[in-house]
Each structure stands twice: as C-alpha cells, then as structure tokens.
Amino acid sequence: MSRLTAQLLDGKAVSQAIRSEIAHDVAALKRSAGVAPSLAAVLVGDDPASQVYVRNKIIACAEVGMRSVEVRLPPTATQDQLMARLRRLNEDPDVDGILVQLPLPPTLDRTAVILALDPAKDVDGLHPLNAGRLLMRLEAPVPCTPAGIVELLERYRLPIAGQHAVIVGRSEIVGRPLGILLLQRDATVTMCHSKTRELPVITRQADLLVAAIGRPAFIRAEHIREGATVIDVGVNRLGDARAAAALFGEDSPRVHQVRERGYTLVGDVHPREAAERAAHLTPVPGGIGPLTIACLLRNTLRAAQARRQAAVR
Ligand code: GUN
C-alpha cells in the first residue's frame, strides 16, 4: 500500500483572500450608500458550539467593516417569540442579512422559521424562494458551506467537470445544495445517506468525496479511493484523550488540547487514514469552516448591495 500524504487545502488562507475582496467592496458600498452592510445573527439557547460559531461570525463582520448585531433568545423561547423577533428584523430597514443559527432547540419548528425570513435578507439561502432560484440557475444567495466548498476547489484549480463527486449527507444546508452546485459545474453527482447500502463501495468510486454527516472520523481508509480529493465538512467535539490519541497519534498536540481545553475538533473523516490515501484533503479545523464564514459575509454584502442600490434608484 502506498503512503501518499495528501496536500492539505488551506481554507483559512482562501477565506482570508475572499475576506479582503469583501472588505474592499464593503468600503466601496460605504462610500456610495453611506452605510455599511449589517448582519443580524440570531442565537436561540446556550449550545456552546453554536455560541462559538455566532461569536466568530460577529468578529468576522467587524474585520471586513460590516456591522452586526447578535440577537440572543433563551432556550425557553417559544415559537411565537422567535417569529415575532424575526418579523421585527425583517421590517428593520437597517438590517441587510438575517442568520438564524442552526440547530434550533428541539421544541422549535425550523421550517416555520425559514419560511418566515424575508428572502431578500436570507443570507443562508435556505428560504424556498432562494432554494428554488438556485435550482433554476437564477441569481440567489447560495448556502454558505456549499458555496465555500466550490470556491475552495476553484481557487485550487481542482477539476469539477466530469469528476465523480460522491456526497455523504443529504442535509438541506450542505449536501443537497452542494449536489446542485456540482451538477451545474458538470460533475457526475452521487448522493449518499444513512440508508445507503454498501457505502464504501460507492464512496471508493469518488474522485471528489464530501463528508457532511456529523459523525466523528466516520470516513475511513476503506471509503477513499487513492488519489481522491476529500472535503471534510464535519466539526465534532471530541472529549476523550484516548480517542484523540487513536485518531491523531499519541504525541499529537490534539491529545494535550483535550486534557487542557476539554476537547479537540475532529471532522467526519479519519484524519490520518485520509491523509494516507487522498491526494487533497481539507483539515479540521482550518478547512471548510473559515470558508463558510467568508461566504456568509459575501451573501450579506450582496444582500446589502441589492437593498441599498434599490433604495437609491
Ligand atoms: N449551523 C451550522 N452551519 C450553519 C450555517 O451555515 N448556517 C446556520 N444558520 N447555522 C449553521
């Protein structure tokens, strides 16, 4: 067996490049419209990971010169309270983009929330009007993680047309829209999910393998064709030092991280086994995560451009 070591695709560096382009356009919009784009990030409950994600989005806004507001609702918030808050954000002329951090507490109806968003402010691209526009190849905000994945492949000049892309995970926010984007770029797309039989047989056919299932280190060597490009969308918290040692090696700084911070992050792909079989691999952290944020900033900028320019006309 060969011991190929995958090239790591540096999502952080690509995200930095996208962010400086955005900062430039934000400054231009400020000059022409007199105001910076603004994002409202809605967080319901106190899930620690979601808190970190929202905080990172707020910091990223400031770094490109955008305004943002974090809207916090307690875990006990009712559907009516959340809907009332969203209505106010929809109507607030000063808010360009609205993001409701997912997952919501299980008592709340996520579909009703998505349907309640003003499609013009839906920077996640989840509202059916935007999802439908994407299907029809019309201008629309594209869900941030799939947009980030395509951007990463394009900036590294990795081929998409004619490639067999296998996507594991059929979520509305990642797997399904990514399938559409790759199909539009002439890939042959296979969607796999929890009921797929003989998963490794299918994933081993992939030139481009995307894992978006939320199960730590689920994709192993047996799933990966030698020389494939592997995109790891998973962000899972691993709190067991022994499990971290098995994944990263006994002497890995990740093991110390678990002991010191209480957890380390691991993707949906086994990091060492994938590095030995893939030609290109996204790391966790520092792969797709930063690109998701960069694409959120871009969707917010575009929403602001459309709204502010429409107001000037
Ligand atoms: N939770 C995990 N990823 C995302 C995302 O891209 N958008 C929202 N709103 N919630 C998420």
Side-chain angles (χ1 to χ4, degrees):
M1 206 171 97
S2 90
R3 280 284 175 265
L4 191 139
T5 298
Q7 178 197 8
L8 292 181
L9 302 176
D10 189 346
K12 223 167 154 179
V14 171
S15 145
Q16 226 31 69
I18 298 171
R19 287 184 203 204
S20 48
E21 293 161 15
I22 293 170
H24 179 269
D25 291 352
V26 166
L29 185 70
K30 259 194 223 171
R31 282 194 300 274
S32 67
V35 63
S38 85
L39 173 72
V42 180
L43 175 59
V44 187
D46 42 24
D47 175 61
S50 291
Q51 287 177 12
V52 173
Y53 294 146
V54 168
R55 194 186 327 128
N56 288 343
K57 289 168 185 175
I58 300 281
I59 292 169
C61 283
E63 282 173 1
V64 296
M66 288 187 189
R67 296 170 300 147
S68 64
V69 52
E70 183 178 335
V71 178
R72 291 286 290 265
L73 278 88
T76 51
T78 64
Q79 186 78 23
D80 285 350
Q81 285 167 336
L82 176 54
M83 299 296 257
R85 198 67 189 83
L86 291 178
R87 267 196 301 278
R88 273 166 53 203
L89 292 172
N90 279 344
E91 285 160 11
D92 186 341
D94 209 33
V95 169
D96 295 300
I98 305 170
L99 167 138
V100 181
Q101 185 66 30
L102 300 172
L104 288 168
T107 48
L108 298 176
D109 179 352
R110 161 199 152 112
T111 304
V113 165
I114 291 168
L115 284 168
L117 291 173
D118 176 350
K121 296 188 179 186
D122 166 32
V123 286
D124 263 326
L126 294 175
H127 188 282
L129 185 82
N130 292 322
R133 289 182 65 90
L134 177 67
L135 264 180
M136 294 181 71
R137 295 167 160 256
L138 297 169
E139 175 94 16
V142 176
C144 307
T145 300
I149 292 169
V150 169
E151 187 96 25
L152 183 73
L153 295 171
E154 289 180 346
R155 295 209 182 204
Y156 269 94
R157 298 187 186 286
L158 293 169
I160 298 176
Q163 300 287 291
H164 186 187
V166 177
I167 302 170
V168 188
R170 56 179 157 177
S171 68
E172 276 156 32
I173 197 163
V174 182
R176 289 174 203 223
L178 179 62
I180 292 162
L181 292 179
L182 294 176
L183 206 50
Q184 284 172 354
R185 285 161 182 76
D186 299 321
T188 302
V189 177
T190 301
M191 302 282 305
C192 300
H193 46 77
S194 52
K195 299 284 193 298
T196 297
R197 282 183 285 123
E198 305 206 57
L199 183 69
V201 174
I202 298 172
T203 56
R204 271 203 307 272
Q205 294 170 32
D207 303 304
L208 175 61
L209 176 59
V210 182
I213 42 182
R215 293 175 68 173
F218 178 82
I219 298 292
R220 310 287 304 253
E222 61 162 344
H223 295 93
I224 303 169
R225 189 177 62 73
E226 235 179 78
T229 293
V230 178
I231 304 289
D232 189 352
V233 179
V235 183
N236 308 290
R237 286 187 179 205
L238 193 68
D240 177 358
R242 281 222 308 269
L247 285 180
F248 297 100
E250 291 289 343
D251 302 326
S252 165
R254 300 302 202 96
V255 181
H256 302 292
Q257 204 172 45
V258 175
R259 295 210 177 95
E260 275 156 31
R261 190 171 70 172
Y263 69 92
T264 192
L265 294 179
V266 59
D268 291 347
V269 175
H270 193 298
R272 282 201 300 179
E273 292 184 5
E276 286 176 5
R277 290 187 72 85
H280 307 277
L281 172 66
T282 61
V284 175
I288 298 303
L291 285 164
T292 297
I293 294 187
C295 290
L296 169 69
L297 297 174
R298 189 162 54 195
N299 283 348
T300 306
L301 169 68
R302 286 183 182 152
Q305 286 169 332
R307 293 182 67 248
R308 309 278 170 189
Q309 278 153 14
V312 169
R313 265 186 229 125

